[in-house]
Amino acid sequence: MQIFEYNGSAVVAMVGKNCFAIASDRRLGVQLQTIATDFQRISKIHDHLFIGLSGLATDVQTLYQRLVFRHKLYQLREERDMKPETFASLVSAILYEKRFGPYLCQPVIAGLGDDNKPFICTMDSIGAKELAKDFVVSGTASESLYGACEAMFKPDMEAEELFETISQALLSSVDRDCLSGWGGHVYVVTPDEIKEKILKGRMD
Amino acid sequence: MSQSAVDVPPKGGFSFDLCKRNDMLTQKGLKAPSFLKTGTTIVGLIFKDGVILGADTRATEGPIVADKNCEKIHYMAPNIYCCGAGTAADTEAVTDMVSSQLRLHRYQTSRDSRVITALTLLKKHLFSYQGHVSAALVLGGVDITGPHLHTIYPHGSTDTLPFATMGSGSLAAMSVFEAKYKEGLTRDEGIKLVAEAICSGIFNDLGSGSNVDICVITKGNKEYLRNYMEPNPRTYVSSKGYSFTKKTEVLLTKITPLLERVEITEVGEAMEE
């Protein structure tokens, strides 16, 4: 049994026109038993920067706490929020530091940079950054997510259409994965507002 | 105060404190995750005026293509570039680290970096980790002593060659080089040969794919031709896109408006004197 299949997860982020969307499933399981249906995988670092972590749930929570700590230190020193590209380099360095005993999670980072230009990237568990201009996926449902996003994605979508696309891609992919699902949690971020939506999905 | 209560930013280098826990999980039967590899075809050759490096752009995670257009030609110095194959995190980290060390060295010595400096820094690091840092590199550049091309293996051994290939597609690319390479190639002939070698890797090796990146380094000048050739365009794009007949059902919506920056332009009255 793979370590990433212990808890089950699905995270996806997509780029739109001056906005981005990041979505995850809500199941927390211990192998084949579901123990929670409202697990928070996506966390806010600051108003324009979100990180979604898939993989072993204990490392998801520990890594999130460490990253929030480092970002707060940065805010105190620099008196401003971290840019998404800088944050991605920070996460990559923290993961690579544990190269020979890694955190067993794969982050998906999404943020709005300068000029409200959306930025997304994902990494493997030792910090190999993978920048993309369209979408990034992670988790046990990643193979289905690759296929669904590849088919459904269009460049330069507005926030409403982007929400619909990412939700459909997420729900159709987790329906084909036993270990993830039980609803969806989507954040669509534009320069003016953050829209957080909880989706109704199959509860099996 | 105990050490572990304060999580200060580390001083650098690797940290092994999760190894025991990961070993315990492996013993309980949970297999370790696979890392992002760059299956890869990377090549380099020396031509009349300098060095040409080439690479494909596919990054794989097991059998899945994780990134269809990644960058495998890494910057080391203004006159030195390095292609990387193997575990993606290792090639990125090692080339970034040596690139920083070279810059500090340039500040100290007030001279342009030499290719053998980069070579020695890389091989010392890789040898000290006995091959566990899995980075196979093709290093090329032009310095005061002329053009140089080296290959570096994960265990720390190096070769100095007029033409070199590395990665899973190295055999496919080497066959093209062995057949067509000659000394004193011109720039256009060199680029054509490198593109052909990478294409043979892209089409014949499953671990390599997508586009061809090329970097031409000559004395005092470098040209990074990103996506020089795109022999695998997407042929099935639907211009209409996907139309969803049934909308997703939303259970809960929460909107957080972000503070807008309001510019106050007031024509104020002059202060009374």
Side-chain angles (χ1 to χ4, degrees), chain A residues 1-4 6 26 31 44 47-48 56 58-59 66 69-70 73 77 92 96-104 106 124-132 134-135 143 146 150-154 161 163-165 167-169 171 189-201, chain B residues 7-10 13-19 21-22 25-26 29-37 59 61 63-69 87-90 92-94 125 129 132-134 234 236 238-242 244 246-260:
Chain A
M1 163 53 85
Q2 284 268 354
I3 264 172
F4 283 139
Y6 188 72
R26 306 188 79 209
Q31 295 186 328
K44 189 172 90 154
D47 280 339
H48 285 145
L56 198 64
T58 166
D59 281 350
R66 293 241 159 106
F69 171 71
R70 294 294 293 270
L73 276 181
R77 279 197 206 116
S92 178
Y96 191 71
E97 198 200 344
K98 305 243 184 281
R99 161 71 169 90
F100 297 114
Y103 284 114
L104 300 162
Q106 286 168 326
D124 69 347
S125 54
I126 47 174
K129 260 189 292 195
E130 210 184 285
L131 310 167
D134 40 18
F135 58 85
E143 292 176 24
Y146 275 126
E150 195 67 68
M152 297 181 190
F153 180 80
K154 264 190 341 241
E161 206 189 342
F163 164 72
E164 195 58 45
T165 310
S167 310
Q168 294 274 357
L171 290 177
V189 180
T190 57
D192 308 318
E193 62 182 10
I194 303 172
K195 256 196 215 156
E196 182 189 335
K197 294 195 188 188
I198 305 222
L199 308 173
K200 180 172 169 200
Chain B
D7 183 25
V8 290
F14 290 125
S15 132
F16 295 93
D17 52 350
L18 289 180
C19 284
R21 176 202 73 158
N22 287 1
L25 287 169
T26 319
L30 294 174
K31 286 200 314 243
S34 66
F35 304 136
L36 194 76
K37 290 204 175 281
E61 200 160 356
I64 307 288
V65 176
D67 195 348
K68 291 189 283 187
N69 204 358
T87 303
D90 288 332
E92 274 177 38
V94 137
H125 179 81
Y129 285 97
H132 290 285
V133 174
S134 172
R234 211 172 138 176
Y236 48 89
S238 152
S239 53
K240 295 192 305 293
Y242 236 74
F244 301 110
K246 188 158 182 263
K247 299 264 170 222
T248 22
E249 277 186 66
V250 176
L251 290 174
L252 178 79
T253 309
K254 191 168 108 178
I255 301 181
T256 314
L258 299 174
L259 293 166
E260 280 177 23

Side-chain angles (χ1 to χ4, degrees), chain A:
Chain A
M1 163 53 85
Q2 284 268 354
I3 264 172
F4 283 139
E5 289 170 17
Y6 188 72
N7 291 127
S9 51
V11 182
V12 56
M14 275 193 191
V15 158
K17 195 167 178 163
N18 288 340
C19 62
F20 68 85
I22 183 167
S24 76
D25 73 319
R26 306 188 79 209
R27 176 183 179 268
L28 176 69
V30 169
Q31 295 186 328
L32 297 175
Q33 184 188 30
T34 307
I35 52 177
T37 58
D38 57 358
F39 188 63
Q40 180 91 326
R41 279 201 173 86
I42 300 177
S43 330
K44 189 172 90 154
I45 302 286
H46 65 74
D47 280 339
H48 285 145
L49 182 58
F50 283 74
I51 181 165
L53 291 152
S54 68
L56 198 64
T58 166
D59 281 350
V60 162
Q61 293 182 328
T62 305
L63 192 59
Y64 167 63
Q65 286 165 9
R66 293 241 159 106
L67 291 171
V68 160
F69 171 71
R70 294 294 293 270
H71 183 249
K72 282 184 182 168
L73 276 181
Y74 184 91
Q75 274 179 322
L76 287 171
R77 279 197 206 116
E78 302 254 336
E79 292 178 6
R80 64 182 176 91
D81 288 333
M82 238 192 213
K83 280 193 215 157
E85 293 87 356
T86 316
F87 185 69
S89 296
L90 172 70
V91 179
S92 178
I94 287 179
L95 292 175
Y96 191 71
E97 198 200 344
K98 305 243 184 281
R99 161 71 169 90
F100 297 114
Y103 284 114
L104 300 162
C105 45
Q106 286 168 326
V108 165
I109 295 164
L112 279 178
D114 295 333
D115 297 330
N116 297 324
K117 194 163 170 299
F119 170 87
I120 49 170
C121 93
T122 184
M123 287 167 214
D124 69 347
S125 54
I126 47 174
K129 260 189 292 195
E130 210 184 285
L131 310 167
K133 293 192 176 64
D134 40 18
F135 58 85
V136 290
V137 306
S138 149
T140 48
S142 61
E143 292 176 24
S144 313
L145 277 165
Y146 275 126
C149 292
E150 195 67 68
M152 297 181 190
F153 180 80
K154 264 190 341 241
D156 285 334
M157 284 187 278
E158 295 291 340
E160 282 307 314
E161 206 189 342
L162 184 66
F163 164 72
E164 195 58 45
T165 310
I166 201 176
S167 310
Q168 294 274 357
L170 178 75
L171 290 177
S172 44
S173 306
V174 302
D175 282 351
R176 282 284 184 178
D177 178 30
C178 310
L179 299 165
S180 47
W182 269 266
H185 202 147
V186 185
Y187 289 83
V188 180
V189 180
T190 57
D192 308 318
E193 62 182 10
I194 303 172
K195 256 196 215 156
E196 182 189 335
K197 294 195 188 188
I198 305 222
L199 308 173
K200 180 172 169 200
R202 284 173 63 139
M203 305 298 262
D204 62 354

Side-chain angles (χ1 to χ4, degrees), chain B residues 117-134:
Chain B
T117 317
L119 179 73
T120 311
L121 290 167
L122 285 164
K123 72 172 3 188
K124 275 180 73 174
H125 179 81
L126 291 174
F127 179 75
S128 66
Y129 285 97
Q130 287 291 293
H132 290 285
V133 174
S134 172

